[in-house]
Amino acid sequence: MAFLDFGPSDRPVDLVFLHANGFNALTYRRILAQLAGGARILAPDLRGHGRTDLATITEGRVSWHDLRDDLLAFMTALDLTGVVLGGHSMGATTSLLAAAEAPGRVRALALFDPVIGPGPAPASEPRTAVHGDLIAGAGRRRRTFPSRAAAFEAYRGRGAFRGWPEAMLADYVADGFRDASGGGVELACDPAWEASSYASHGHDSWEAFERSAAPIRIWRAAEGSTFRPDRREAALTASGRVTVETIPGTSHFLPMERP
């Protein structure tokens, strides 16, 4: 797994931060670098994203347990204990799943609009009805451009990138593409892999809430949030271990909109 390392190299790791589906660690550089004056932060590229070159197998994929297990292996390899796990969207949910499996390694969770519905999704349940538009959109994504500069111009101010600071978009493009063998650049995250993450929700995030021992803070988008606990929210926050804050004027891309 490739990762970015922010902050003093002689300091123990304080935070591991995971990106959203289809993005990469460098996308969040301008946020994480601002926190690194008094903290050390590692930001991995998840399987199938950015500079990480772990194999991607979409056939038979039903959950994000593969991403969870990658994160656990990453933490074990670097002997990380007592860290905060954070993330955005899929990265936030992956952090929660990992914290449930290794509560002794995690002291807190900081989650930006995690992808969590009102109940567990059976592994056998087709997710196209829930995420069909996202799956179809991933399949339509343009895979290649003549250059990163051309990709930047194609994305600037459009679609999901509307409202992004240009510096963050440039960081996304830098590691969101790799040089193609025939010239030009191609998406680092294959659209089929991105689509498989939208379709694979057989993991149980609610069980993970129960099994994780750490305090959890969630920042939720005001519009189009993927954190939808519905009637479970009152029970979730009743103990005080979990706090939820809705950020006014934000969409699911709230870290980009409010960096």
Side-chain angles (χ1 to χ4, degrees), residues 83-164:
V83 298
V84 176
L85 291 184
H88 174 213
S89 188
M90 182 178 73
T93 306
T94 300
S95 295
L96 173 64
L97 297 174
E101 292 297 315
R105 291 188 179 273
V106 181
R107 65 180 176 89
L109 287 158
L111 311 180
F112 291 87
D113 219 36
V115 183
I116 298 174
S124 59
E125 178 183 327
R127 304 307 295 166
T128 52
V130 179
H131 299 289
D133 290 345
L134 294 172
I135 294 169
R140 292 192 300 267
R141 288 196 69 179
R142 180 175 172 180
R143 296 168 182 262
T144 62
F145 288 88
S147 65
R148 286 176 174 81
F152 176 87
E153 290 300 326
Y155 290 154
R156 181 166 58 175
R158 295 183 176 91
F161 302 103
R162 186 180 297 111
W164 283 40

Side-chain angles (χ1 to χ4, degrees), residues 48-108:
H49 295 77
R51 296 177 181 269
T52 288
D53 59 5
L54 297 174
T56 56
I57 302 173
T58 59
E59 185 176 354
R61 190 177 185 224
V62 296
S63 73
W64 293 349
H65 290 161
D66 48 3
L67 304 179
R68 175 202 67 187
D69 293 345
D70 288 343
L71 175 56
L72 292 171
F74 177 81
M75 295 172 67
T76 299
L78 297 180
D79 194 24
L80 302 182
T81 58
V83 298
V84 176
L85 291 184
H88 174 213
S89 188
M90 182 178 73
T93 306
T94 300
S95 295
L96 173 64
L97 297 174
E101 292 297 315
R105 291 188 179 273
V106 181
R107 65 180 176 89

Side-chain angles (χ1 to χ4, degrees), residues 144-197:
T144 62
F145 288 88
S147 65
R148 286 176 174 81
F152 176 87
E153 290 300 326
Y155 290 154
R156 181 166 58 175
R158 295 183 176 91
F161 302 103
R162 186 180 297 111
W164 283 40
E166 289 194 1
M168 292 190 75
L169 177 58
D171 282 342
Y172 160 71
V173 169
D175 274 3
F177 288 84
R178 60 189 172 207
D179 295 338
S181 58
V185 296
E186 62 185 5
L187 285 169
C189 178
D190 188 295
W193 181 250
E194 181 182 357
S196 79
S197 291

